[in-house]
Amino acid sequence: MEKKNKNDLFEFVEYSPEAAERIGYSDYSYWGSVFQNFLKKKSAVVMTIIFFAVVIFSFIALIIGKYDYSALVADSSLAFTKPNGEFWFGTDNLGRDYWCQVWFAAQTSIKLALIVALGECVVGVTIGCLWGYVRWLDRPLTELYNIINNVPMIIYMTLIALLVGQSFTIMAVSLICFGWLTMARNVRNLVLMYRDREYNLASRCLGTPVWRVLTKNILPYLISIIILRLALSIPSTIALESTLSYLGLGLDINTPSLGILLRNARSYFMQYPYLLIFPAVIVSTITITFYLVGNAFSDAADPRNHV
């Protein structure tokens, strides 16, 4: 057999810049992959539809209702009217339409939960990143966390209600001021894990500003945890508001919420159970659906679940 020359065994492939770019191109999108993984979980999709249906219907219900909440007039002769064609959810102890009260209260509770969740996210992520990355801030922020966390929330809210007052703004600010702890602690622990990795050490050696290291190198790894805490904050805020309002420490009585309706119903629900059932069902639906949606979306946002 004739022995081949070395140059005959190999040949150079013609280089094509267009083909090289085509081979190296990837249409991967992080958020596209997140939503793709989320849509695979049918139960989470159903829960999402139910949650948004409740939120949207809380606005539609006031439009299709027969009475305007802002023009409610108490009529003692109609007190404790059971649900019928005129009063779809019945009337309360003062003879006011319960339909518009329940859905207006649902709007109030949902708005409060969204504002508090976003506020806790911004404050918690900011403090948590600085807490975990800037070494000299670790001790003072740890002491601040321990001081605030070791006092029950009910004591803070009682003092605020007695000394400052009760309103939508006061409660939202109060819950944000004392609710950022969990978010900040989780973010801080993760920042400690990523702070001294090689690429962050290289960034610091090159003089990269702290804010850029945090936002570009570290924060993308925290997305799934932030989404999970943000999602869990919404149902927990609604549940906490309901509890505080039930105890008389929540919103002003002139700003109806689901918690205030539950508090008002506690004296009458044995004889008139509908006063408790309607707001309780809405509270349970919102908290359960968003809790399940939050867990599913957090799993979908975890980069380890992306292939």
Side-chain angles (χ1 to χ4, degrees), residues 277-288:
I277 290 174
F278 292 124
V281 167
I282 294 176
V283 169
S284 302
T285 301
I286 294 173
T287 54
I288 292 173

Side-chain angles (χ1 to χ4, degrees), residues 28 36 46 55 90 102 135 140 170 174 180 182 196 207 213 238 241 243 249 257 261 286:
Y28 172 79
Q36 184 179 3
V46 172
V55 174
V102 167
R135 296 179 185 273
I170 292 174
S174 301
W180 57 268
T182 303
D196 294 328
V213 175
I238 293 177
E241 181 274 323
T243 302
L249 303 172
S257 66
L261 294 184
I286 294 173

